[in-house]
């Protein structure tokens, strides 16, 4: 039964500490196949006044939002067509790839490409899975699409998976798989 001790500079809020504890638990379960009740993780805090690096006092940097939250916020902004808000979540080299190999670097290109495909589209989410990495996190979201075809008829229940890479609190890429074209035919 693993016991993991983590030391943080004081000042991180409870939500961040919870994310850290959940992450350590998930990694430990994956690497050691430990049962949840067999994993003990303790966070110890060092007072800011007792911590120096490079002989200078340091304060903890506020972490970015959870990668899943960044993805949810982006998808929400896109569904509302709030491109200004969506763009604030993108890395400078952001790239998107959609079914059929359609690739875009700008959100306006995506909107133009989608215009003849449907009048409106929305997503119902079944789940989000986050895979942490050393340089970035990968977030998968799964669910179904619903909306209105160009002729005004409704559609729903069309499967999709989106894969996002999140680095430094920004979206680096989005890869999309869905059955929209198969259903439309």
């Amino acid at each position: 039964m693993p016991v993991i001790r983590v030391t943080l500079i004081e000042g991180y809020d409870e939500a961040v500490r919870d994310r850290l504890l959940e992450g350590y638990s998930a990694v430990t379960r994956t690497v050691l196949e430990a049962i949840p009740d067999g994993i003990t993780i303790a966070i110890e805090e060092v007072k800011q006044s007792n911590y120096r690096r490079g002989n200078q006092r340091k304060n903890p940097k506020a972490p970015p939002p959870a990668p899943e939250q960044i993805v949810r916020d982006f998808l929400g902004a896109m569904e509302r067509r709030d491109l200004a808000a969506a763009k604030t979540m993108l890395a400078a080299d952001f790239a998107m790839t959609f079914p059929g190999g359609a690739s875009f670097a700008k959100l306006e290109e995506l909107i133009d490409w989608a215009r003849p495909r449907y009048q409106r589209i929305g997503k119902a989410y079944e789940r989000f899975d986050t895979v942490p990495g050393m340089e970035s996190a990968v977030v998968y979201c799964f669910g179904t699409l619903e909306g209105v075809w160009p002729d005004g008829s409704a559609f729903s229940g069309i499967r999709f998976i989106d894969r996002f890479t999140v680095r430094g609190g920004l979206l680096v890429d989005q890869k999309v798989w869905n059955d929209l074209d198969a259903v439309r035919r």
Side-chain angles (χ1 to χ4, degrees), residues 95-164:
M96 302 168 274
T97 305
F98 281 74
S103 296
F104 311 104
K106 297 181 188 307
L107 299 181
E108 293 83 2
E109 295 171 336
L110 169 63
I111 301 298
D112 290 343
W113 173 78
R115 190 170 286 117
R117 299 166 58 82
Y118 45 77
Q119 290 181 25
R120 182 184 58 75
I121 197 162
K123 295 181 175 184
Y125 302 109
E126 293 174 13
R127 76 175 201 260
F128 285 76
D129 293 337
T130 301
V131 182
M134 293 301 287
E135 300 295 325
S136 60
V138 173
V139 177
Y140 291 91
C141 62
F142 303 79
T144 57
L145 301 171
E146 59 83 23
V148 178
W149 295 116
D151 68 3
S153 61
F155 63 85
S156 64
I158 299 174
R159 300 177 309 163
F160 81 88
I161 297 174
D162 288 352
R163 179 197 183 276
F164 291 88

Side-chain angles (χ1 to χ4, degrees), residues 8-13 46 48 51 53 58-63:
L8 294 177
I9 303 170
E10 71 178 1
Y12 290 103
D13 66 29
V46 174
Q48 289 181 12
Y51 174 77
R53 187 174 67 230
K58 300 289 182 177
N59 295 320
K61 177 183 171 189

